[in-house]
Amino acid sequence: MNGIKEMNGISKHKVILVTGGSGLVGQAIKKVSEEENLPDEKWIFLASKDADLRDPEETRAIMKEYKPTHVVHLAAMVGGLYKHLRVNCDFLTFNVRINDNVLDSCKEMGVKKVVSCLSTCIFPDKTTYPIDETMIHNGPPHDSNFGYSYAKRMIVVMNRAYNMQYGCQFTSVIPTNIYGPYDNFSVEDGHVMPGLIHKGYLAKHKNIPFTVCGTGTPRRQFIYSIDLAKLIMWTLREYDEIDPIILSVDKEDEVSIQEIAEMVKESFDLKDEVQYDSSKSDGQIKKTASNDKLRKYLPDFKFTPLRKGIKETADWLEANYETARK
Ligand code: NAP
Ligand code: GDP
């Protein structure tokens, strides 16, 4: 890290700061960037212990310390449906503050390009399908995650305003549900995929019944964190629009929660039937997103098959259970 700080002042390297670098997506970008090891790119991965980005002074200080030329902004309060239902307001206020501080500091520091991360769950609840990038502001989001959604929607507005007034090259990506190693595997607070993989682990090792929350009928598109990392790195290097781009598997690859539960069951070689607790909320029934815009840029991009990604993630949790977030 110190080497990078010293080099930054005297070299023409891109210095790419990743906020939220310790999380699911940040760790995937770290892995891919280390494998690529490009000589003109220096990557820095921040965790919340380096700076609480809800605080403007701490945000400014960390930006001054590293003087990034480019920023991938991933840091956010993140969680699954049941956490959103509990602390909707925190999702709004924490994320508004983080995004405001990060983009303001990037403008002040003259950062050349910022790629921020939105999510397909921020789209209008009442909509036509498939959803595309033009539809973000067409109506209120689903009640279950409205705080997070409005905070994320404002990034699109801010990017446009920073570009109009200051010429900043700030853009954003819209991933679908993400999964992979280094996820938050909390059964209470996490997203459905890490939650089910953890439950699969507990069924195998502690004989706890493998129970899916809700009816299993809602449908989702899932992207493997390594695939998303490659696409975010492409966005940073090649994508020149200010308007966001959906980073998703094809709409034909959307699956039901029941289908992923069966894949998790297979990964852990569980014998008992999957159980469903239909007293728990289903949340949004679907949020099918179009990746037509992405396909125009990258028609041949190959996504990791879901079964393979789930198996790799389950194996990762088995190997890292003691240290994994859960
Ligand atoms: P994650 O694994 O929970 O990681 C969140 C990251 O943000 C961590 O590095 C965390 O640091 C950092 N962070 C949280 N609060 C912070 C604060 N106050 N100050 C500084 N850093 C803070 O999340 P993820 O799944 O990688 O998500 C990355 C991005 O993708 C987020 O913007 C999220 O909204 C978006 N996204 C996620 C999904 C999904 O399914 N996971 C889907 C669509 C979009 P610590 O590790 O130190 O706590
Ligand atoms: P969302 O995709 O933004 O709605 O958030 P999640 O990743 O939390 O997915 C929620 C969907 O998965 C809902 O339909 C839940 O009923 C279903 N689900 C089934 N089991 C679980 C679980 O163990 N955890 C979570 N978070 N969701 C689950």
Side-chain angles (χ1 to χ4, degrees):
M1 290 270 238
N2 284 338
I4 292 166
K5 278 189 250 176
E6 284 154 21
M7 237 170 28
N8 190 16
I10 54 164
S11 83
K12 293 203 167 62
H13 282 83
K14 273 189 203 161
V15 178
I16 307 165
L17 186 79
V18 181
T19 72
S22 52
L24 164 67
V25 182
Q27 287 297 298
I29 294 179
K30 186 160 190 279
K31 183 166 190 279
V32 175
S33 63
E34 283 172 357
E35 282 165 7
E36 288 184 348
N37 197 22
L38 297 185
D40 62 337
E41 290 185 354
K42 294 294 166 198
W43 291 82
I44 299 156
F45 294 87
L46 295 183
S48 61
K49 67 175 165 33
D50 299 311
D52 181 346
L53 299 175
R54 290 171 300 180
D55 182 289
E57 292 312 320
E58 288 193 34
T59 309
R60 220 166 280 140
I62 199 86
M63 289 288 179
K64 281 199 174 136
E65 190 177 348
Y66 289 109
K67 300 184 178 53
T69 58
H70 295 68
V71 169
V72 176
H73 173 39
L74 305 174
M77 181 174 185
V78 178
L81 168 65
Y82 303 106
K83 184 170 180 185
H84 282 276
L85 289 170
R86 274 204 324 278
V87 293
N88 225 318
C89 184
D90 288 351
F91 274 101
L92 174 70
T93 56
F94 292 179
N95 287 326
V96 162
R97 275 183 238 160
I98 289 174
N99 299 336
D100 190 33
N101 291 335
V102 169
L103 293 185
D104 180 58
S105 296
C106 288
K107 190 264 282 176
E108 287 303 312
M109 297 287 300
V111 171
K112 288 185 188 149
K113 184 161 179 184
V114 179
V115 177
S116 298
C117 206
L118 317 176
S119 164
T120 51
C121 66
I122 73 170
F123 282 108
D125 180 36
K126 298 204 176 11
T127 183
T128 53
Y129 299 99
I131 307 168
D132 70 38
E133 292 85 351
T134 65
M135 296 156 82
I136 294 177
H137 304 290
N138 288 0
H142 195 265
D143 266 354
S144 59
N145 57 17
F146 96 108
Y148 175 86
S149 299
Y150 277 116
K152 291 281 185 185
R153 284 183 185 193
M154 278 309 292
I155 290 181
V156 181
V157 177
M158 286 193 282
N159 284 349
R160 183 130 189 262
Y162 275 112
N163 181 260
M164 284 165 74
Q165 188 174 342
Y166 301 107
C168 296
Q169 186 74 15
F170 296 171
T171 189
S172 59
V173 295
I174 312 179
T176 50
N177 290 51
I178 311 162
Y179 72 101
Y182 299 95
D183 208 340
N184 177 5
F185 290 88
S186 162
V187 168
E188 305 297 323
D189 287 346
H191 287 102
V192 56
M193 188 70 94
L196 291 185
I197 290 176
H198 191 183
K199 287 180 190 173
Y201 177 96
L202 294 172
K204 179 174 169 186
H205 294 283
K206 310 265 185 222
N207 222 8
I208 295 172
F210 182 51
T211 306
V212 173
C213 303
T215 60
T217 52
R219 301 182 70 77
R220 297 287 185 269
Q221 287 153 297
F222 291 93
I223 184 167
Y224 194 42
S225 58
I226 297 292
D227 297 345
L228 180 63
K230 290 175 185 165
L231 291 174
I232 291 177
M233 292 161 82
W234 166 81
T235 308
L236 187 74
R237 293 167 184 153
E238 310 279 348
Y239 178 75
D240 285 335
E241 298 182 36
I242 300 300
D243 288 338
I245 181 165
I246 291 173
L247 301 182
S248 168
V249 299
D250 301 325
K251 50 186 183 303
E252 296 72 26
D253 293 328
E254 187 178 57
V255 289
S256 68
I257 302 299
Q258 181 179 8
E259 284 171 274
I260 62 160
E262 290 298 330
M263 290 183 208
V264 171
K265 180 181 155 190
E266 210 176 278
S267 289
F268 286 103
D269 204 16
L270 305 176
K271 303 293 176 221
D272 293 340
E273 289 300 305
V274 178
Q275 301 190 12
Y276 291 87
D277 178 357
S278 55
S279 69
K280 298 258 170 62
S281 167
D282 270 341
Q284 281 174 283
I285 293 307
K286 62 178 187 173
K287 41 185 177 171
T288 321
S290 160
N291 67 1
D292 286 358
K293 186 173 185 178
L294 175 67
R295 284 296 186 200
K296 279 199 189 109
Y297 282 102
L298 298 175
D300 299 325
F301 187 84
K302 295 265 179 303
F303 290 95
T304 304
L306 194 50
R307 198 169 253 104
K308 180 170 186 280
I310 290 177
K311 178 73 177 126
E312 282 180 15
T313 309
D315 289 349
W316 184 90
L317 184 65
E318 290 261 19
N320 296 277
Y321 193 75
E322 290 316 315
T323 53
R325 275 188 298 164
K326 52 188 186 295

